[in-house]
Amino acid sequence: MIARATAHRTQPATTLLGPGDDAAVVSAPDGRTVVTTDVLVEGVHFRLDWSTAEQVGRKAVAQNLADVVAMGAVPTALLVGLACPGSTPVEVVDGLTTGLWDEAAKVGAGIVGGDVVRAEQVVVSVTALGDLQGREPVLRSGARPGDVVAVAGRLGWSAAGLAVLSRGFRAPAAVVSAHRVPEPPYALGLAGARAGASAMTDVSDGLLADLGQLAEASGVSADLDRVALTPAAKLVEVGSALGVDPWTWVLTGGEDHAFLATFGPRRTLPAGWTVIGTVGEGSGVTVDGVDWDPENGPTGWTAFGR
Amino acid sequence: MIARATAHRTQPATTLLGPGDDAAVVSAPDGRTVVTTDVLVEGVHFRLDWSTAEQVGRKAVAQNLADVVAMGAVPTALLVGLACPGSTPVEVVDGLTTGLWDEAAKVGAGIVGGDVVRAEQVVVSVTALGDLQGREPVLRSGARPGDVVAVAGRLGWSAAGLAVLSRGFRAPAAVVSAHRVPEPPYALGLAGARAGASAMTDVSDGLLADLGQLAEASGVSADLDRVALTPAAKLVEVGSALGVDPWTWVLTGGEDHAFLATFGPRRTLPAGWTVIGTVGEGSGVTVDGVDWDPENGPTGWTAFGR
């Protein structure tokens, strides 16, 4: 199965030794390696009746690559652990493999190693490595009062797609495919790092949650600009059809893996980045100065801030 | 759970950024990173009624560290993905965590990241990184005719322990604990690399199987010396009690993670390494010039070689 997954695949120059020995060897010209791992479980993180195996493979790699890029590092290599029942059709394994390699190819990373074992449930664990190219890692803790908050990529599309699939629908395709395969804008993330982002993360748990973590790590508050976050027409349309406030998706929907960063007030933002708020003293995240809480009815807006 | 697993743990100097951000940063002074991953599944690779959670944690780390050392690299960092049912007792997670850190501490590696997710079955995926310290990686493919075959560490003890546990016994402790927690002689493996081993691997699938892979990768044959491999008295005793030929364990038992290497004829072997055979032209692995095959009755020896 491993031979089948690695045969005839082209390794990039960063793969000094690919699969087949006790371990792989990956170049780390910077002298530091950025590394992260994520585990996806069938029935928890994906459903093979909602997504193809190829889409699952792409998603598993995408969320790891987004973590590497969110540190300001260029992804170099991936390792994949696959646990699955002995009855798993070979088409599923082949589909997963294709998805893994296709997404890795987007950033020029190689799949340099892995493990395939038997289990009752399909579990995909992915580890991604990256190179900082001489830059300092962009941490969550670097935001300072006076910085702007900016985002590159979509917010809420994956959550809208999940809502559609959960109701038994398969359309609109735009949001459903956003849920099946996120498209983190890797190049924009790296551009943000090169432009001197003071802090960065990717939106995996939702804008409010991830910005909240970043603000807490930095010891600052953040205020979002409601107008800048106005839901796209497609999200409004889907929300209207399903009876869901699209602001819920924009503010709390994860898995799109947009890049969320802060920049010093005199920095010029790279193309593709949109200012969505400001960093202040204190703690917590507000929208136009007030708390957002879905418990407060369909719009989620409180009349008064804390 | 992640906070609980990482709080109050001391990271080594190689951990430039530990858990808590989108990814970790590990030093790679050599400019190359050795990396490997393994997945262990409850009921397939371990049983929580045969081993404590702590032992499972140690084993999961040990087999990955052995792979890094088998490349001639010093382990620097580990990442751990843990999938488990929501009903998993906190003691099991704490035990796993303790085992992971204790084994990592043996080689001075840090646990720099991970992921904890819900699943029906306990699945532990471990990724290990290592630094080559300026040496070339020791591949499986470097053996040459005229080299000696040597081993550092035990052979067959884990398999004997598994046989004991499979029959419902819990003793002798020496073999049972060898199965529960392998003790790869990491320092000896690194000494073998520094002494100029021409090829190296760790014995995870059994001596004949792993030497067979090494010989195939190198395009050579290997002949083992039966006297040098004589089973330890303890294995003979356990074999006698269970009615199993102890040679089966020595030659085909995996999971002890002894280091198996070849050295050029003029190399001086480091202390702790034992010569067990020679490398020749051709292909295949023999013992005293003949094939060993358990199908040939209780001793496994054929009367005639191929």
Side-chain angles (χ1 to χ4, degrees), chain B residues 31-135:
Chain B
R32 297 168 295 179
T33 299
V34 168
V35 62
T36 182
T37 195
D38 270 319
V39 182
L40 282 82
V41 178
E42 182 182 11
V44 179
H45 302 94
F46 63 87
R47 287 175 53 162
L48 286 168
D49 54 339
W50 283 1
S51 302
T52 65
E54 193 174 328
Q55 289 165 340
V56 172
R58 285 188 57 192
K59 186 173 194 157
V61 165
Q63 70 183 54
N64 279 278
L65 295 179
D67 280 332
V68 169
V69 168
M71 301 300 290
V74 176
T76 50
L78 295 148
L79 295 95
V80 179
L82 173 62
C84 60
S87 60
T88 306
V90 69
E91 293 76 30
V92 168
V93 178
D94 284 353
L96 269 170
T97 303
T98 300
L100 296 165
W101 279 96
D102 284 357
E103 193 68 23
K106 285 187 161 189
V107 294
I111 299 179
V112 301
D115 195 12
V116 180
V117 298
R118 188 164 50 84
E120 289 160 22
Q121 200 176 7
V122 179
V123 177
V124 186
S125 77
V126 176
T127 301
L129 278 66
D131 188 74
L132 286 164
Q133 299 187 320
R135 291 184 298 273

Side-chain angles (χ1 to χ4, degrees), chain A residues 22 26 28 31 33 39 115 121 127 201, chain B residues 22 26 28 31 33 39 115 127 201:
Chain A
D22 293 300
V26 177
T33 299
V39 181
D115 195 14
Q121 200 176 7
T127 300
T201 191
Chain B
D22 294 300
V26 177
T33 299
V39 182
D115 195 12
T127 301
T201 190

Side-chain angles (χ1 to χ4, degrees), chain A residues 232-244:
Chain A
K234 180 61 72 182
L235 297 191
V236 174
E237 173 197 322
V238 175
S240 171
L242 300 185
V244 175

Side-chain angles (χ1 to χ4, degrees), chain A residues 251-271:
Chain A
L251 294 173
T252 69
E255 297 203 334
D256 285 299
H257 302 287
F259 294 103
L260 172 69
T262 57
F263 294 88
R266 273 175 294 276
R267 295 276 180 182
T268 304
L269 266 61

